[in-house]
Amino acid sequence: MSNFVTLLVEDDALQRELVADILRGEGFEVVECTTAEAGEVIVTSTGVDLQALIVDQNLAGVMKGTELAAYARSKHPRLNIVVMSGDCLGALPRDTVFLQKPFQAERLLEAVRD
C-alpha cells in the first residue's frame, strides 16, 4: 500500500502480535520492538518514512512509553503517535493519542492514519 513505516513498541508478545496483525491487515509496514530504548534507536535512524509510533506505556527497560513518545515528537513533529496503557495516564506529549486497553481495532487505525 505505502512505504510508510509504523513502529510498534510493546513488550507483551501476544499484544504486540495482535496489534501488528491489525496494522498489517490494513497494509501498514510494521517494525516491532520490545523496549523504548530499541524504539529510540529506530526513531533516530528512520527518516521521513516513519509514519506512526504506537507505544505501550509500561515497558521492559528504563524508559517509559511517554518518554519515547516525547523523543519521537522532537525528532518527527508530524508523526502520528499513539500511547497505549491499561492504566490512566497523566500528561502526554502534545498531539499524542491515548488508547486505554483494551481498545477497538478501528480506534487504533484511525489514530495511525494521516
Side-chain angles (χ1 to χ4, degrees), residues 53-66:
L53 166 65
I54 303 167
V55 61
D56 187 48
Q57 171 63 4
N58 298 309
L59 296 161
V62 177
M63 189 185 264
K64 295 285 188 195
T66 48

